[in-house]
Amino acid sequence: MKTYLVTGGAGFIGSNFINYMLKKHLDIKLINLDKLTYAGNLENLKDAAKNPNYKFVQGDICDEELVGKLFKNNDIDIVVNFASESHVDRSIKNPQIFVKTNIQGTAVLLNAAKSAWETSEAFKDGVKFLQISTDEVYGSLGEKGHFSETTPLDPHSIYSSSKAGADLLVKAYYDTYKMPVCITRSSNNYGPFQFPEKLIPLTINNCINKKLIPVYGDGMNIRDWIYVQDNCMAIEMIINNGQMGQIYNIGGHNEKTNIHIIKIIIEYLHDNLNPKIDDNLITYVEDRKGHDRRYSVDTTKIEKEIGWHPETLFQNGIKMTIKWYLENKEWMKNVTGGEYQNYYEQMYRINSSIKGCP
Ligand code: NAD
Ligand code: TYD
């Protein structure tokens, strides 16, 4: 019976991963270490909480003593490090917490795992440290080309720089100690439980509440969107079959401009919920500082070596996602209270004070 330490498991991708793994495997133990920042929500894990093989620990990955104790008291085989500050806009406003959680936190986890797993000869059999990174570490593309795993790192935002810093530490633990690690670099995820500060849930939430949808710059920035369940599947396959010390890109083969994404959501809600939800909600606002233009990942390596490929077509994934938010308005109400509301209102005031459509 393998024991997983999943960090940041109360967030968007982490909670989808935990739910996916516990449903699929009866023979694993899973510890979720999460600080419960504004982005962490135990509501995402109501089913998991009933599972005797699941344990939640509230705590910070930067807390060496706590992380050390978790390794000492549990025979951890696999670490999956989702814990992160994850929103680019927040990193522009408050860089320090990104450096702390994303870099220092990863260093604490790496060190604790090394101490627990290293024997006088080599590392224990069957252990692995999986770092969940992002395609944003590669920087920004023009109209053509794709990021492969050998594309040089060229992060621009504080968020992506801190993720790149963490990736280099993970690589150093492999290069120096031959610690068994892998890194995933996935494109933009969408699906249930995503905090409504990110483009897709923000657009759905604003449409439902008939609030303006802020489009940064000209709306022509491109992201490659992957349904979160497909990413969870890729992560599981990399845990089982990923080569040690290797990086794997994960993507949805689905590049879209931001304005196209917003229009797809508006159209669906116009037709299925309320004809008053229309393009008038779109408001062009000042561009994000240092806004990356285009991301696009080449997923040949994971497809060839591991046999994974994304299964969910965007036209299906986006419908499932919108339906989930419509059916879970209480969840949305809970997360849009408190700190988020203040943050959002602040952003919104800044955004709505800017006029002009390109
Ligand atoms: P999220 O912001 O929804 O969740 C992050 C979780 O980490 C929250 O539960 C939060 O409470 C927890 N956390 C934050 N700081 C912590 C700390 N110091 N100690 C312990 N827990 C802490 O993020 P997400 O969208 O689920 O992203 C998960 C991971 O995937 C991140 O590492 C992110 O960089 C990466 N990623 C995300 C996307 C995406 O589109 N969302 C794409 C590529 C990569
Ligand atoms: P986001 O969901 O924040 O993810 P990331 O910046 O990590 O790719 O943003 C996705 C794209 O949508 C990005 O180009 C910024 C843009 N965007 C808007 O135009 N308006 C918004 O309100 C938000 C949150 C994002």
Side-chain angles (χ1 to χ4, degrees):
M1 195 164 193
K2 290 226 171 202
T3 301
Y4 286 67
L5 174 64
V6 174
T7 70
F12 164 47
I13 307 177
S15 60
N16 275 285
F17 178 74
I18 290 176
N19 289 329
Y20 167 85
M21 290 296 281
L22 290 177
K23 243 181 235 156
K24 191 164 167 193
H25 302 280
L26 300 174
D27 60 344
I28 58 167
K29 276 196 200 157
L30 200 151
I31 300 163
N32 174 16
L33 171 63
D34 195 300
K35 187 176 168 184
L36 296 184
T37 67
Y38 76 93
N41 188 348
L42 292 181
E43 285 286 299
N44 304 0
L45 294 159
K46 277 197 291 205
D47 289 341
K50 294 179 206 142
N51 189 319
N53 293 337
Y54 168 80
K55 186 169 144 195
F56 173 68
V57 178
Q58 182 169 7
D60 192 327
I61 56 166
C62 301
D63 182 341
E64 277 180 64
E65 201 184 321
L66 172 66
V67 172
K69 263 193 205 150
L70 283 176
F71 274 94
K72 197 165 162 233
N73 297 339
N74 300 279
D75 200 5
I76 291 165
D77 302 289
I78 309 286
V79 175
V80 190
N81 183 26
F82 291 99
S84 171
E85 289 292 334
S86 68
H87 189 39
V88 175
D89 292 329
R90 284 179 189 258
S91 78
I92 297 169
K93 283 181 174 251
N94 183 11
Q96 295 302 347
I97 185 69
F98 282 74
V99 176
K100 186 150 194 263
T101 288
N102 297 359
I103 302 180
Q104 196 184 322
T106 302
V108 167
L109 288 170
L110 282 165
N111 219 34
K114 175 178 173 287
S115 302
W117 292 344
E118 202 174 26
T119 66
S120 54
E121 303 280 291
F123 279 83
K124 274 169 66 176
D125 277 344
V127 296
K128 190 178 268 185
F129 188 104
L130 182 63
Q131 174 68 5
I132 305 298
S133 185
T134 164
D135 62 352
E136 302 190 24
V137 296
Y138 297 119
S140 179
L141 291 164
E143 277 173 25
K144 289 199 180 130
H146 311 282
F147 301 130
S148 80
E149 288 82 356
T150 54
T151 301
L153 299 183
D154 183 24
H156 300 131
S157 72
I158 313 295
Y159 162 64
S160 53
S161 305
S162 64
K163 294 296 289 184
D167 285 11
L168 292 177
L169 282 175
V170 175
K171 177 182 177 301
Y173 270 69
Y174 178 74
D175 292 343
T176 310
Y177 309 112
K178 290 284 165 285
M179 179 154 142
V181 304
C182 284
I183 297 175
T184 69
R185 292 187 179 147
S186 115
S187 62
N188 288 58
N189 285 227
Y190 69 98
F193 300 125
Q194 187 168 31
F195 194 82
E197 64 186 352
K198 305 278 167 62
L199 182 68
I200 287 183
L202 181 137
T203 301
I204 298 170
N205 191 33
N206 284 19
C207 282
I208 293 172
N209 295 302
K210 301 206 203 51
K211 285 185 171 178
L212 295 176
I213 302 157
V215 181
Y216 301 165
D218 63 3
M220 296 304 286
N221 301 64
I222 291 175
R223 300 291 183 262
D224 167 14
W225 295 92
I226 178 172
Y227 192 60
V228 64
Q229 194 83 3
D230 285 338
N231 189 19
C232 293
M233 244 182 334
I235 291 168
E236 184 195 17
M237 290 171 86
I238 292 166
I239 291 170
N240 293 333
N241 299 313
Q243 295 294 310
M244 295 309 175
Q246 292 296 306
I247 296 162
Y248 295 94
N249 285 347
I250 301 169
H253 299 169
N254 177 53
E255 287 183 45
K256 293 216 171 355
T257 61
N258 294 337
I259 193 67
H260 189 188
I261 293 282
I262 291 168
K263 288 191 171 173
I264 290 171
I265 295 170
I266 290 177
E267 193 182 319
Y268 181 89
L269 288 170
H270 173 90
D271 295 348
N272 292 283
L273 186 68
N274 185 340
K276 285 190 184 143
I277 297 171
D278 62 27
D279 285 1
N280 286 321
L281 290 175
I282 293 172
T283 176
Y284 287 87
V285 300
E286 186 184 348
D287 208 354
R288 174 187 275 172
K289 285 187 175 66
H291 197 174
D292 286 341
R293 192 65 175 169
R294 175 171 166 256
Y295 304 141
S296 172
V297 288
D298 176 347
T299 55
T300 308
K301 180 170 170 179
I302 186 171
E303 296 192 18
K304 283 216 168 121
E305 273 187 26
I306 298 191
W308 173 89
H309 60 91
E311 289 181 0
T312 312
L313 291 175
F314 186 74
Q315 69 241 41
N316 299 333
I318 194 69
K319 275 185 208 151
M320 291 191 280
T321 304
I322 297 172
K323 279 188 188 155
W324 186 87
Y325 281 96
L326 287 174
E327 284 162 11
N328 288 277
K329 288 196 185 128
E330 276 307 307
W331 182 93
M332 188 66 104
K333 248 190 227 156
N334 289 341
V335 298
T336 51
E339 195 213 333
Y340 171 68
Q341 195 58 39
N342 294 335
Y343 166 81
Y344 180 76
E345 293 302 337
Q346 249 181 32
M347 289 282 296
Y348 193 73
R349 260 203 308 279
I350 298 166
N351 288 334
S352 51
S353 66
I354 296 149
K355 296 250 165 342
C357 168

